[in-house]
Amino acid sequence: MSEAATARALAALGAGVFLLAGVLGLVPGATTHYGDLRVAGHSHAQLLGVFRVSILLNLVHLLLGVTAIFSTRATALASLALWLLGVLAAGAWLSLDTADNWLHFVLGIGLLGLAAIAGRETLRAAATA
């Protein structure tokens, strides 16, 4: 498997993580304190008992998952923007917490790296064609 194919497969996995988080964040059982799930703002609902979620954040995760299918780089930047919102405490309306911030940071950096690998491989293929 080429480097670009591996990067694309891992980017698809990243898309799957966002899609799964968005869906499971709306499912009682997968989301603890489901009765406390709010549309936006401070929510006590937590995905898997760790990651604070709101309906708005779940919708953002679903959107990022769909976007990741088409553009890994755009999704990476959006994930890093979510991280920055959380770090600057500007993401209160999304109900972001420390666990969310770390997850968005790690996914953003990872997806950005995968986009760079896939892009480098595409450039190399174009140069040899």
Side-chain angles (χ1 to χ4, degrees), residues 20-21 23-34 45-51 53:
L20 191 61
V23 169
L24 290 179
L26 298 169
V27 175
T31 299
T32 59
H33 308 290
Y34 188 79
Q46 292 183 315
L47 177 60
L48 305 175
V50 178
F51 304 103
V53 291

PDB file of all heavy atoms in Angstrom, residues 20-21 23-34 45-51 53:
ATOM      1  N   LEU A  20     -18.989   8.962  14.008  1.00  0.00           N
ATOM      2  CA  LEU A  20     -19.400   8.133  15.146  1.00  0.00           C
ATOM      3  C   LEU A  20     -19.649   8.984  16.389  1.00  0.00           C
ATOM      4  O   LEU A  20     -20.641   8.789  17.096  1.00  0.00           O
ATOM      5  CB  LEU A  20     -18.337   7.069  15.427  1.00  0.00           C
ATOM      6  CG  LEU A  20     -18.709   5.971  16.401  1.00  0.00           C
ATOM      7  CD1 LEU A  20     -19.906   5.185  15.897  1.00  0.00           C
ATOM      8  CD2 LEU A  20     -17.520   5.039  16.594  1.00  0.00           C
ATOM      9  N   ALA A  21     -18.774   9.948  16.642  1.00  0.00           N
ATOM     10  CA  ALA A  21     -18.956  10.837  17.798  1.00  0.00           C
ATOM     11  C   ALA A  21     -20.247  11.636  17.659  1.00  0.00           C
ATOM     12  O   ALA A  21     -20.989  11.795  18.636  1.00  0.00           O
ATOM     13  CB  ALA A  21     -17.761  11.784  17.939  1.00  0.00           C
ATOM     14  N   VAL A  23     -22.990  10.835  15.973  1.00  0.00           N
ATOM     15  CA  VAL A  23     -24.164   9.973  16.119  1.00  0.00           C
ATOM     16  C   VAL A  23     -24.313   9.502  17.562  1.00  0.00           C
ATOM     17  O   VAL A  23     -25.388   9.611  18.163  1.00  0.00           O
ATOM     18  CB  VAL A  23     -24.076   8.767  15.153  1.00  0.00           C
ATOM     19  CG1 VAL A  23     -25.143   7.727  15.477  1.00  0.00           C
ATOM     20  CG2 VAL A  23     -24.204   9.229  13.709  1.00  0.00           C
ATOM     21  N   LEU A  24     -23.229   8.970  18.141  1.00  0.00           N
ATOM     22  CA  LEU A  24     -23.309   8.441  19.505  1.00  0.00           C
ATOM     23  C   LEU A  24     -23.619   9.525  20.532  1.00  0.00           C
ATOM     24  O   LEU A  24     -24.208   9.235  21.576  1.00  0.00           O
ATOM     25  CB  LEU A  24     -22.020   7.719  19.881  1.00  0.00           C
ATOM     26  CG  LEU A  24     -21.778   6.388  19.166  1.00  0.00           C
ATOM     27  CD1 LEU A  24     -20.447   5.777  19.609  1.00  0.00           C
ATOM     28  CD2 LEU A  24     -22.921   5.418  19.399  1.00  0.00           C
ATOM     29  N   GLY A  25     -23.238  10.755  20.239  1.00  0.00           N
ATOM     30  CA  GLY A  25     -23.554  11.861  21.142  1.00  0.00           C
ATOM     31  C   GLY A  25     -25.044  12.133  21.263  1.00  0.00           C
ATOM     32  O   GLY A  25     -25.486  12.847  22.158  1.00  0.00           O
ATOM     33  N   LEU A  26     -25.814  11.548  20.365  1.00  0.00           N
ATOM     34  CA  LEU A  26     -27.267  11.717  20.386  1.00  0.00           C
ATOM     35  C   LEU A  26     -27.992  10.455  20.863  1.00  0.00           C
ATOM     36  O   LEU A  26     -29.214  10.402  20.847  1.00  0.00           O
ATOM     37  CB  LEU A  26     -27.761  12.096  18.983  1.00  0.00           C
ATOM     38  CG  LEU A  26     -27.226  13.418  18.435  1.00  0.00           C
ATOM     39  CD1 LEU A  26     -27.554  13.565  16.952  1.00  0.00           C
ATOM     40  CD2 LEU A  26     -27.779  14.591  19.233  1.00  0.00           C
ATOM     41  N   VAL A  27     -27.217   9.441  21.289  1.00  0.00           N
ATOM     42  CA  VAL A  27     -27.794   8.158  21.682  1.00  0.00           C
ATOM     43  C   VAL A  27     -27.734   7.982  23.200  1.00  0.00           C
ATOM     44  O   VAL A  27     -26.652   8.012  23.786  1.00  0.00           O
ATOM     45  CB  VAL A  27     -27.035   6.999  20.994  1.00  0.00           C
ATOM     46  CG1 VAL A  27     -27.536   5.645  21.482  1.00  0.00           C
ATOM     47  CG2 VAL A  27     -27.149   7.109  19.483  1.00  0.00           C
ATOM     48  N   PRO A  28     -28.923   7.793  23.827  1.00  0.00           N
ATOM     49  CA  PRO A  28     -28.925   7.512  25.269  1.00  0.00           C
ATOM     50  C   PRO A  28     -28.141   6.214  25.526  1.00  0.00           C
ATOM     51  O   PRO A  28     -28.215   5.271  24.754  1.00  0.00           O
ATOM     52  CB  PRO A  28     -30.409   7.314  25.603  1.00  0.00           C
ATOM     53  CG  PRO A  28     -31.155   7.928  24.469  1.00  0.00           C
ATOM     54  CD  PRO A  28     -30.268   7.811  23.272  1.00  0.00           C
ATOM     55  N   GLY A  29     -27.400   6.174  26.586  1.00  0.00           N
ATOM     56  CA  GLY A  29     -26.564   5.015  26.896  1.00  0.00           C
ATOM     57  C   GLY A  29     -25.119   5.282  26.496  1.00  0.00           C
ATOM     58  O   GLY A  29     -24.221   5.159  27.316  1.00  0.00           O
ATOM     59  N   ALA A  30     -24.911   5.634  25.238  1.00  0.00           N
ATOM     60  CA  ALA A  30     -23.570   6.035  24.809  1.00  0.00           C
ATOM     61  C   ALA A  30     -23.249   7.404  25.387  1.00  0.00           C
ATOM     62  O   ALA A  30     -22.092   7.735  25.636  1.00  0.00           O
ATOM     63  CB  ALA A  30     -23.469   6.074  23.293  1.00  0.00           C
ATOM     64  N   THR A  31     -24.317   8.187  25.614  1.00  0.00           N
ATOM     65  CA  THR A  31     -24.180   9.509  26.220  1.00  0.00           C
ATOM     66  C   THR A  31     -24.760   9.453  27.626  1.00  0.00           C
ATOM     67  O   THR A  31     -25.944   9.183  27.804  1.00  0.00           O
ATOM     68  CB  THR A  31     -24.926  10.571  25.384  1.00  0.00           C
ATOM     69  OG1 THR A  31     -24.350  10.595  24.076  1.00  0.00           O
ATOM     70  CG2 THR A  31     -24.818  11.939  26.004  1.00  0.00           C
ATOM     71  N   THR A  32     -23.897   9.662  28.621  1.00  0.00           N
ATOM     72  CA  THR A  32     -24.359   9.676  30.006  1.00  0.00           C
ATOM     73  C   THR A  32     -25.032  11.014  30.302  1.00  0.00           C
ATOM     74  O   THR A  32     -24.764  12.011  29.632  1.00  0.00           O
ATOM     75  CB  THR A  32     -23.195   9.450  30.987  1.00  0.00           C
ATOM     76  OG1 THR A  32     -22.214  10.476  30.795  1.00  0.00           O
ATOM     77  CG2 THR A  32     -22.539   8.090  30.769  1.00  0.00           C
ATOM     78  N   HIS A  33     -25.907  11.015  31.291  1.00  0.00           N
ATOM     79  CA  HIS A  33     -26.675  12.211  31.656  1.00  0.00           C
ATOM     80  C   HIS A  33     -27.431  12.755  30.441  1.00  0.00           C
ATOM     81  O   HIS A  33     -27.488  13.958  30.215  1.00  0.00           O
ATOM     82  CB  HIS A  33     -25.780  13.301  32.257  1.00  0.00           C
ATOM     83  CG  HIS A  33     -24.930  12.820  33.378  1.00  0.00           C
ATOM     84  ND1 HIS A  33     -25.445  12.486  34.598  1.00  0.00           N
ATOM     85  CD2 HIS A  33     -23.604  12.600  33.453  1.00  0.00           C
ATOM     86  CE1 HIS A  33     -24.463  12.080  35.391  1.00  0.00           C
ATOM     87  NE2 HIS A  33     -23.337  12.134  34.713  1.00  0.00           N
ATOM     88  N   TYR A  34     -27.975  11.831  29.656  1.00  0.00           N
ATOM     89  CA  TYR A  34     -28.650  12.197  28.410  1.00  0.00           C
ATOM     90  C   TYR A  34     -29.761  13.224  28.630  1.00  0.00           C
ATOM     91  O   TYR A  34     -29.987  14.096  27.795  1.00  0.00           O
ATOM     92  CB  TYR A  34     -29.203  10.948  27.711  1.00  0.00           C
ATOM     93  CG  TYR A  34     -29.740  11.218  26.349  1.00  0.00           C
ATOM     94  CD1 TYR A  34     -28.877  11.343  25.264  1.00  0.00           C
ATOM     95  CD2 TYR A  34     -31.105  11.380  26.129  1.00  0.00           C
ATOM     96  CE1 TYR A  34     -29.357  11.610  23.998  1.00  0.00           C
ATOM     97  CE2 TYR A  34     -31.598  11.634  24.861  1.00  0.00           C
ATOM     98  CZ  TYR A  34     -30.719  11.751  23.796  1.00  0.00           C
ATOM     99  OH  TYR A  34     -31.188  12.026  22.533  1.00  0.00           O
ATOM    100  N   ALA A  45     -24.284  16.411  29.704  1.00  0.00           N
ATOM    101  CA  ALA A  45     -24.248  15.147  28.970  1.00  0.00           C
ATOM    102  C   ALA A  45     -22.813  14.890  28.507  1.00  0.00           C
ATOM    103  O   ALA A  45     -22.099  15.812  28.132  1.00  0.00           O
ATOM    104  CB  ALA A  45     -25.194  15.207  27.781  1.00  0.00           C
ATOM    105  N   GLN A  46     -22.404  13.608  28.595  1.00  0.00           N
ATOM    106  CA  GLN A  46     -21.036  13.260  28.202  1.00  0.00           C
ATOM    107  C   GLN A  46     -21.030  12.008  27.344  1.00  0.00           C
ATOM    108  O   GLN A  46     -21.602  10.975  27.727  1.00  0.00           O
ATOM    109  CB  GLN A  46     -20.165  13.018  29.435  1.00  0.00           C
ATOM    110  CG  GLN A  46     -19.890  14.255  30.243  1.00  0.00           C
ATOM    111  CD  GLN A  46     -18.970  13.945  31.404  1.00  0.00           C
ATOM    112  OE1 GLN A  46     -19.148  12.948  32.098  1.00  0.00           O
ATOM    113  NE2 GLN A  46     -17.985  14.811  31.614  1.00  0.00           N
ATOM    114  N   LEU A  47     -20.370  12.085  26.213  1.00  0.00           N
ATOM    115  CA  LEU A  47     -20.185  10.934  25.353  1.00  0.00           C
ATOM    116  C   LEU A  47     -19.223   9.974  26.033  1.00  0.00           C
ATOM    117  O   LEU A  47     -18.121  10.375  26.435  1.00  0.00           O
ATOM    118  CB  LEU A  47     -19.640  11.368  23.991  1.00  0.00           C
ATOM    119  CG  LEU A  47     -19.334  10.251  22.994  1.00  0.00           C
ATOM    120  CD1 LEU A  47     -20.582   9.433  22.684  1.00  0.00           C
ATOM    121  CD2 LEU A  47     -18.766  10.833  21.717  1.00  0.00           C
ATOM    122  N   LEU A  48     -19.649   8.740  26.211  1.00  0.00           N
ATOM    123  CA  LEU A  48     -18.864   7.696  26.866  1.00  0.00           C
ATOM    124  C   LEU A  48     -18.456   8.089  28.291  1.00  0.00           C
ATOM    125  O   LEU A  48     -17.495   7.559  28.835  1.00  0.00           O
ATOM    126  CB  LEU A  48     -17.623   7.335  26.036  1.00  0.00           C
ATOM    127  CG  LEU A  48     -17.896   6.931  24.588  1.00  0.00           C
ATOM    128  CD1 LEU A  48     -16.597   6.706  23.838  1.00  0.00           C
ATOM    129  CD2 LEU A  48     -18.782   5.696  24.525  1.00  0.00           C
ATOM    130  N   GLY A  49     -19.157   9.043  28.872  1.00  0.00           N
ATOM    131  CA  GLY A  49     -18.859   9.486  30.224  1.00  0.00           C
ATOM    132  C   GLY A  49     -17.603  10.330  30.344  1.00  0.00           C
ATOM    133  O   GLY A  49     -17.154  10.630  31.438  1.00  0.00           O
ATOM    134  N   VAL A  50     -17.031  10.745  29.200  1.00  0.00           N
ATOM    135  CA  VAL A  50     -15.762  11.492  29.205  1.00  0.00           C
ATOM    136  C   VAL A  50     -15.875  12.836  28.501  1.00  0.00           C
ATOM    137  O   VAL A  50     -15.447  13.855  29.033  1.00  0.00           O
ATOM    138  CB  VAL A  50     -14.638  10.664  28.539  1.00  0.00           C
ATOM    139  CG1 VAL A  50     -13.333  11.455  28.489  1.00  0.00           C
ATOM    140  CG2 VAL A  50     -14.438   9.335  29.245  1.00  0.00           C
ATOM    141  N   PHE A  51     -16.424  12.834  27.289  1.00  0.00           N
ATOM    142  CA  PHE A  51     -16.419  14.021  26.448  1.00  0.00           C
ATOM    143  C   PHE A  51     -17.766  14.737  26.546  1.00  0.00           C
ATOM    144  O   PHE A  51     -18.791  14.180  26.181  1.00  0.00           O
ATOM    145  CB  PHE A  51     -16.151  13.645  24.986  1.00  0.00           C
ATOM    146  CG  PHE A  51     -14.880  12.883  24.790  1.00  0.00           C
ATOM    147  CD1 PHE A  51     -14.907  11.512  24.594  1.00  0.00           C
ATOM    148  CD2 PHE A  51     -13.657  13.534  24.823  1.00  0.00           C
ATOM    149  CE1 PHE A  51     -13.731  10.801  24.422  1.00  0.00           C
ATOM    150  CE2 PHE A  51     -12.478  12.838  24.649  1.00  0.00           C
ATOM    151  CZ  PHE A  51     -12.510  11.466  24.455  1.00  0.00           C
ATOM    152  N   VAL A  53     -20.839  16.859  25.573  1.00  0.00           N
ATOM    153  CA  VAL A  53     -21.461  17.082  24.273  1.00  0.00           C
ATOM    154  C   VAL A  53     -22.728  17.919  24.416  1.00  0.00           C
ATOM    155  O   VAL A  53     -23.330  17.974  25.481  1.00  0.00           O
ATOM    156  CB  VAL A  53     -21.827  15.741  23.566  1.00  0.00           C
ATOM    157  CG1 VAL A  53     -20.587  14.992  23.145  1.00  0.00           C
ATOM    158  CG2 VAL A  53     -22.727  14.878  24.428  1.00  0.00           C
TER     159      VAL A  53
END
